[in-house]
Each structure stands twice: as C-alpha cells, then as structure tokens.
Amino acid sequence: MIRLFGIAAGVGFVIILLYSFTFGAINFIKEPPVKAVEYQFHKHPEKPGFAHEGVLGKFDRGQLQRGLKVYQEVCAACHSMELVAFRNFEDLGFTEGQVKTIAKNWATETPSINPDTGEASSRPSLASDQIPSPYLNDVQARAANNNALPPDLSLITKARHDGTNYVYSLLTGYTDPPSDLPEENRPGTGLYYNAYFANLNIAMAPPLNSEGQVTYDDGTKATVDQMAKDVSAFLTWTAEPKLEVRKSTGLGVIGFLIVFTILAYLSYQNIWADLKAQKRKD
Amino acid sequence: MSFPWAKQYTPENEFMKWMDSRLPLPRLIYNAVGAGYPVPRNLNYFWNFGVLAGVALVIQILTGVILAMHYAANVGVAFDSVEHIMRNVNSGWLLRYAHMNGASFFFIVVYIHIFRGLFYSSYKAPREMVWLLGLVIFLLMMATAFMGYVLPWGQMSFWGAKVITGLFSAIPLVGPALQEWLLGGFSPDNATLNRFFSLHFVLPFVIAGVIILHIWALHIPGSSNPTGIEIKGKQDTIPFHPYYTAKDGFGLGVFLIFFCILTFFMPNFLGHPDNYIPANELSTPAHIVPEWYFWPFYAILRAFTFDFFFIEAKLLGVIAMFGSILLLFFLPWLDKSPVRSGHYRPVFRKFFWFGLIPCILLLGYLGGAPAEEPYVMLSQLASAYYFAHFLIILPIISMTEKPKPLPNSITESVTGKPLDATA
Amino acid sequence: MAEPETTETNEGGEVRRRDFINIAAVSFAGVGAGVVALPLVSQMAPSADVLALASVEVDVSSIEVGQAIKTTWRKQPVFIRNLTPAEIAESKAVNIGELRDPATFEDRTLPGKENWLVMLGVCTHLGCIPLGAAQGEIKGEYDGYFCPCHGSHYDAAGRIRKGPAPTNLEVPEFSFVSDTVMKIG
C-alpha cells in the first residue's frame, strides 16, 4: 500500500518536473540566455604573491607597517576600521610608545563628551581605543561620497572572494573602459571603470594614483604597485590578526594527530592480530 | 543484550560492586559500548561514522557552550561580539573556527553515515526504528545548523533567515501569518535572533537525547554488517571493546586530521565571504546560497519554476524539498527486497552507483550555482531522478530483482571457509 | 606490519610489546585531551580588550586641596584625594602599633607627591563602596571613610581602624606621567 502511494507520488513529482523542464528547455532553445556583460568583462584577481600565504606563511612586518601608513594617509579619509584598536598595532612590530603616538596623531579623534557641558566632543585617541570612523554615521558617509557608502575595511579581505588579491587588483585595476563595452555599462558620472569590481563601475576614484603618494619610513620606493601590495597585506592582517598563531598552532596540532593516528593504527592492528591469526589458521 | 553469549559485566572491586547495586552506570556503558556488546566481526570502515558523528556532536556542544559565554544575541552587537571572540577572547578564534568547521564536519560524517545506511539497507527490519530516529536527528541537525548560521548576523545570516522562513509563507491560507510568527516580526530582527539563539542552544541537547534512543534502538537487534545477513552464533561476533574501540580510535585520528587541516589552514573555505559583511536589510547579496550541506535540498526547491494547474511553483518547491527528506521515513516499507546489502543486489547496485549518487552530487553542485540556465534545467532532471529513484525505481527493483547468492554466515564471508570448518 | 611475530605466539615478551603500543596510543590521546582543555579553560580569563583597560591615565590638575574625585579603573571605583596638610600631619601621627593592618603614611603615598592619596574604593570586607570621598558624605569615626554595609571605619589615609574589614583600602600601583597626569595600573 505504501509502495502504491509512493509510486503515485513519485510519478506526480516526475511529471511536474519534466513538464517544467520541457518548458524551460523550449525557452532555452528559443531564446538562449545571453551572458551578462558583467561576466564577459569581469576579471578574476591577479595574484602578486604575499609573504603570509601558504602553510608556513608569516606576515612581513615591514610591509604591514608600510600598509598601515597607506591606510592612514589614503584610505582612512573615507573608510572606517571599527573592529581594530590602536593597541593591536603592537602586533605590527610597533612599541607601546609608538602606538600611543599613532593613536594621538590619528587624523580623526575619538568621539567623547565634554566633561563640563555634556556636549558631543572629541579627544585624542588612546591606545585602548578602537580606530575612530571618519564619519559620524552612514548618512554622513553617504552624503560626503555622492551617495556611495565606503565600506568598513576591518574585514574587507574576508568579505570578498580571494580578498587580499582582490583588494590589490582593484587598487591597481583602474583602466579606461574597453572600446567594445556596451553604452549602458559604461561608467556614469562619479563612477570609474574597474574590471575587478563586480559590476565593473565603482564609485571610488582611483585612490593610489601617483608614485610617492606616501613617503615610506623604511625608504622603500612607493610605487602604486608597492602601495597596493602593502595595503592589501595590511588589510589581510586587520581581517585575520590571528593568522600566524593559527598556522603555527595548526602545524603542532596536525603533527601531534599524525603521531596519534599512527599509534592508534598500530594499536588497532595489534588488538585485531589474533582474529587475523585465527583467520589464517582456518 | 539479546545475544546469550554476550560477556557479562562483573564489578572489579568493592566500590564498583557498591556502585553496581545502586547506580549501574558502568554496567550500562559496558553493555552499550564496552565488551558486553557483541558486534559482527566483519564491519568495514563505513561503520566508523556513527561514533564519529557522536564525536562531532561533542565538539559542537563543547565549543558552542563556550562561544555562548562570549556571544551576545542582539542585532546591535551580535556581529561585533563574534569579532570580539575572534580578536580579543583568549583562543576565541580557535573555538569559533572549530565550531564553524565542526558543523560542516558533522554533516560530512552524518551524510556518509546515511550513505552507509542506504547502500547496506540498514533501514530494513528489524532496524526501522533506528533509521526513523536517525532521520529525526538529521532534521533536528538541519534546524540547528540553520539557526546557528543566523547568529553572526552577517549578510548571509540575515538573508538566509529571510529566505528560509519565506518558505513557510508558501503554505496556503496560514503561510504569511506563520512566517510572521516564526520571525516575531515582518522581517528578521531582534526577536528572531533571540529565539534562534535560544533554540540553537537547546536543540543540540535534544539531539543528544534522540541519539541515546537511536543507540538504544540499535542495541535491540544489534549492528548490521556489510553482508547484511543475520548473526548465526558466537563465532560471528566480537566484543565492541577492545576491537571496535581500537578501530574507532584510528578512525577518530584520521577524522581529526582532516578537521584540523580545515580549521587551521582554510577555516573560511566552506563559508561564504558575504557573512563577513554585517546584516543590511536594504541590500541583498548577489547570490544567496545556504551552507553547502543544504545545497542538494536547495536545488530541489529551486527546480520548481512553473505553476502546475492550481498549485503555485513556490508551494511545489517547498513541498518537494520537505518531501525529499520525508520520503526517507518510508524507505523501510518502499524497499521490500529480502536482501539488505547492496553487494548482493546487482540491479539495485547499478541504480545506486550510477543513478542516485551522481544525482545527489549533481544536486549539491547545482544548489550552490546561481539560479540561471542551464543549472535550473539540470536540477529539474536531477530532482526528477531523485524522486523516481526512491519512489518508483526502488520499489520496483525490490520486487523484480534476482539477488546474488548470499554467504552462509558472517564468519564464512570473512574466512572464505564454510561455517562447519570454523566451528 | 610485524604480523609474522604476532601470529607466532600469544605469550611472554610479545604481550609486553602489544601492551606498550596500546598504552602509548591511549596516553597520547590523554595528553591530547589535556592540551585541548587549555584553550577551553583559558578562554574564561580576561580578554585582550579588558586587559587593554588595565591602566588608565587621569588628569588630576583640577582637584583642589582637600577635594577628591572618583574615577574607574578595571571597572572598579578609585578615589583620588588631594590631602590637606592637616590630614597629612594627622595620618603621620598615628601610632602604627595600634593598627590592625600596620602601614605608614609613607607606605601609601609616593615620595615628593605625598599629598596624593590613590585608593580603590572597594571595602576590603565584602566589596561595597565606602563613603567619604565626595563632599558631604559620612566620613566615619576616624575622619576618613565609612562603609555603610557592615560599618567599617577607615582613617584619612584609608587604613582600617574599626569594624569587620580585615585590611586597609588597597592602594593600586600608580605613578605620575607628568606633573598633572597620573597613571593608575
């Protein structure tokens, strides 16, 4: 009885699905779907290679410090980084004193209240403060940026596919639109063509546009490519500050587990040995 | 249990004797997973996955209870509290990545466990109740995993909650009211997040309870085996401990190696980047996809694109998605073949390996693909095969198929010698 | 591997080798479980953001002689008092031998800055906040601080004089970063 019901229900589902399939297939043949323009022109991120990649990869501290400088002097004017605190910069190889100086001299101050009047005010940041946002809120951020919201950068390399390479490629990927790009996909006012951006037209003006835009303390030549690489590495650290301890812990754990598994296998073989011996004797 | 030759528990010392006459917990363990449980001697590695599923649940409960100490279920701070765990809490990143990937590994293990049950027909009499309780665990797991994915309150959390609760709105008459009731509002919000957190916390303990029933029901007939034939006597079984505990220890090591490779070296591989963007009710991600373990069912849901007479496509999709799981509850009565193991069922085996498995893998791939052609057409074909396999093909072959000759006993299948020679 | 040995016999030395492998595997698992317990336990310890607030800097330039402010350090109240010369003299004059928790005035202040008394506003009995820091609050029998919960009296230097509290009000580690800015912790 159950089988009869089952077969009936099964035939029902199959008929409906094949019916839908037939209509879909007819449509598919009559009007084959056109690949969206975004697919044709969109590019996958370049892979410039970073020190933190791979099983043993570690951050290049000098690069992270340079990346911080690029973020501080270029990106931070529009992009917040709310999940990172100044104290975290000690991980980049800065001393406690240097971190305090960076916090104190940050272009945006930390919001506070005037202790006498209670009015909204601001004060120089302390090492324990989170990095203050350049805007009071999203509305102000949109208003200042032609209605485009600059995303918070704390997690940006984890919030995009292949994030580190994506940020690098995006920063270096501004070009003139290709000549065969359809008119409706050309950048409108306030938009810029970038083949690495999902819909090809990004509201951010090319942020890194000239060599020496940032003066590096360690004397590295600040080419656009170098700055893009450095800030991408820095943003990888902001998104995944525990990357190094994660990998080193992982190596230890997996090494331990391999030894354990071998021991467990030998133990298993030993315990089963007399069963196998019995089998052989038979 | 039901085997007269099972070893009997004997308390070793005065304390254990005292304990045994008051709270015979050691006796219970001895009979359940100790030397007192006789198990067929021919189990292969597929029989490791039940224990591994239990381990995965323990990992999830341990890491989950700890994460709950630091997580805050409020839409204003949920996302930041997860990042607080990742950045500030001691070893918080480890616990959270272990929990994230632990969910995936729980599903991997359970899917292999179910696969084992399907191929070796572990659902057949006298183990129907084991199978039914297993499906209840599977449903509870899916509910728990779905609600857990909402908790970080990222973009995929929010839109996942919206889309999945939207399934209920397809139900005629009461649908929209039901969706509002589930969400506690018109869209996922604080009320939703709080109730999902509460349920996500408590359901794993319900799962643990059903697992106890699942194991209890298993111990009445005892474990099945790769030949699918009955245990004939003492020579067919070995005690669970030390034989299968040792084998499970080795299996556990292999499992943990794979789990740790993902957790430590590619922790976000199975996740979606959009969930690192805080929830935004004004912007939908380009491709909303659930977690990978829901993809086969998601593909079935999306395969229904045309209204059929008076039934809306949306409702059909929902019925089919739930139906694809619910039909498994009827499996013991749809498949009436007297032979259990797929090894001895030539026709069943062909449909299983060349029909069902590719079909499910294809559905899994399609569920993660964008809702475009040709993916939709392929999911229609694959879904049709899925239903046809269980509801039409399986009942028919179970009646018409001529099985291969079975070995006389488990021992004979292991030693290759007739039973009387070993006895 | 090694199967020929195991098939030969089940006696003597062979058993020891088998036991060794089993014991090694089980003890390895035990060590692993022990190591796993470490993060599960340490996660309850104060997190990095809490520890970052372990020291605070306070500008004390606006505290007049004879006045005190209440601030917080590690989510606990801190009293910072600018002592009057009279209070200093009185505190120094106390006979140390009579005290329940003997401490000189110099033990509780910084040399050269002895008018600054910094104390946790946490009664050492059971953790209530003693009165006496703000103007108009009851200062107790010894003209210092009084805890209303169970009646502990402290003197002007925060030393316990009467009542159930066992020790003096705790003086946290503090130093002067500049003439007017004090660092606590």
Coordinates of all heavy atoms in Angstrom, one line a residue, chain C residues 91-92 94 96 99 101-109 157 159 168:
Chain C
S91 N 47.6 61.9 59.8 CA 47.9 60.5 59.4 C 49.3 60.0 59.8 O 49.5 58.9 60.1 CB 47.8 60.4 57.9 OG 46.5 60.7 57.4
K92 N 50.2 61.0 59.7 CA 51.6 60.6 60.1 C 51.7 60.4 61.6 O 52.5 59.6 62.0 CB 52.6 61.7 59.7 CG 52.9 61.7 58.2 CD 53.9 62.7 57.8 CE 54.4 62.6 56.4 NZ 55.2 63.7 56.0
V94 N 49.7 58.9 63.6 CA 49.1 57.7 64.2 C 50.1 56.7 64.6 O 51.1 56.5 63.9 CB 48.2 57.0 63.1 CG1 47.7 55.7 63.5 CG2 47.0 57.9 62.8
I96 N 51.6 53.4 64.7 CA 51.4 52.2 63.8 C 51.1 51.0 64.6 O 50.3 50.1 64.1 CB 52.7 52.0 63.0 CG1 53.1 53.3 62.2 CG2 52.6 50.8 62.0 CD1 52.1 53.7 61.2
L99 N 47.5 49.7 64.8 CA 46.7 49.4 63.6 C 46.5 47.9 63.4 O 47.3 47.1 63.8 CB 47.3 50.0 62.4 CG 47.4 51.5 62.4 CD1 48.2 52.0 61.2 CD2 46.1 52.2 62.4
D101 N 46.1 46.6 60.4 CA 46.9 46.3 59.2 C 48.0 47.4 59.2 O 47.8 48.4 58.5 CB 46.0 46.3 58.0 CG 46.8 46.0 56.7 OD1 47.9 45.5 56.8 OD2 46.2 46.3 55.6
P102 N 49.1 47.2 59.9 CA 50.1 48.3 60.1 C 50.6 48.8 58.7 O 51.1 48.0 57.9 CB 51.2 47.7 60.9 CG 50.5 46.5 61.5 CD 49.5 46.0 60.6
A103 N 50.6 50.1 58.5 CA 51.2 50.7 57.3 C 51.4 52.1 57.6 O 50.5 52.8 58.2 CB 50.2 50.6 56.1
T104 N 52.6 52.6 57.3 CA 52.8 54.1 57.5 C 52.2 54.9 56.4 O 51.8 54.4 55.3 CB 54.3 54.3 57.5 OG1 54.8 54.0 56.2 CG2 55.1 53.5 58.5
F105 N 52.1 56.2 56.7 CA 51.5 57.1 55.7 C 52.4 57.0 54.4 O 51.9 57.0 53.3 CB 51.4 58.5 56.2 CG 50.9 59.5 55.2 CD1 49.6 59.5 54.9 CD2 51.8 60.4 54.6 CE1 49.1 60.4 54.0 CE2 51.3 61.3 53.7 CZ 49.9 61.3 53.4
E106 N 53.7 56.9 54.6 CA 54.7 56.9 53.5 C 54.5 55.7 52.6 O 54.8 55.7 51.4 CB 56.1 57.0 54.0 CG 56.5 58.4 54.6 CD 55.9 58.7 56.0 OE1 55.4 57.7 56.6 OE2 55.9 59.8 56.4
D107 N 54.1 54.6 53.3 CA 53.9 53.3 52.5 C 52.8 53.5 51.5 O 52.7 52.8 50.5 CB 53.4 52.2 53.4 CG 54.5 51.7 54.3 OD1 55.7 52.0 54.0 OD2 54.2 51.0 55.3
R108 N 51.9 54.5 51.8 CA 50.7 54.5 51.0 C 50.7 55.7 50.0 O 49.7 55.9 49.3 CB 49.4 54.6 51.9 CG 49.3 53.4 52.8 CD 48.2 53.5 53.8 NE 46.8 53.6 53.2 CZ 46.2 52.6 52.7 NH1 46.7 51.4 52.7 NH2 45.0 52.7 52.2
T109 N 51.8 56.5 50.0 CA 51.8 57.6 49.0 C 53.2 57.6 48.3 O 54.0 56.8 48.7 CB 51.7 58.9 49.8 OG1 52.6 58.9 50.9 CG2 50.3 59.2 50.3
A157 N 44.0 58.2 55.8 CA 44.9 57.5 54.9 C 44.3 56.2 54.4 O 45.0 55.4 53.8 CB 46.2 57.3 55.5
R159 N 43.3 53.7 56.2 CA 43.7 52.5 57.0 C 42.5 52.0 57.9 O 41.8 52.9 58.4 CB 44.9 52.8 57.9 CG 46.1 53.0 57.0 CD 47.3 53.5 57.8 NE 47.1 54.8 58.4 CZ 48.1 55.6 58.8 NH1 49.3 55.2 58.8 NH2 47.8 56.8 59.3
N168 N 43.6 47.4 55.1 CA 43.4 48.8 54.6 C 42.9 48.8 53.2 O 43.0 47.9 52.5 CB 44.8 49.5 54.6 CG 45.4 49.5 56.0 OD1 44.7 49.4 57.0 ND2 46.7 49.6 56.1

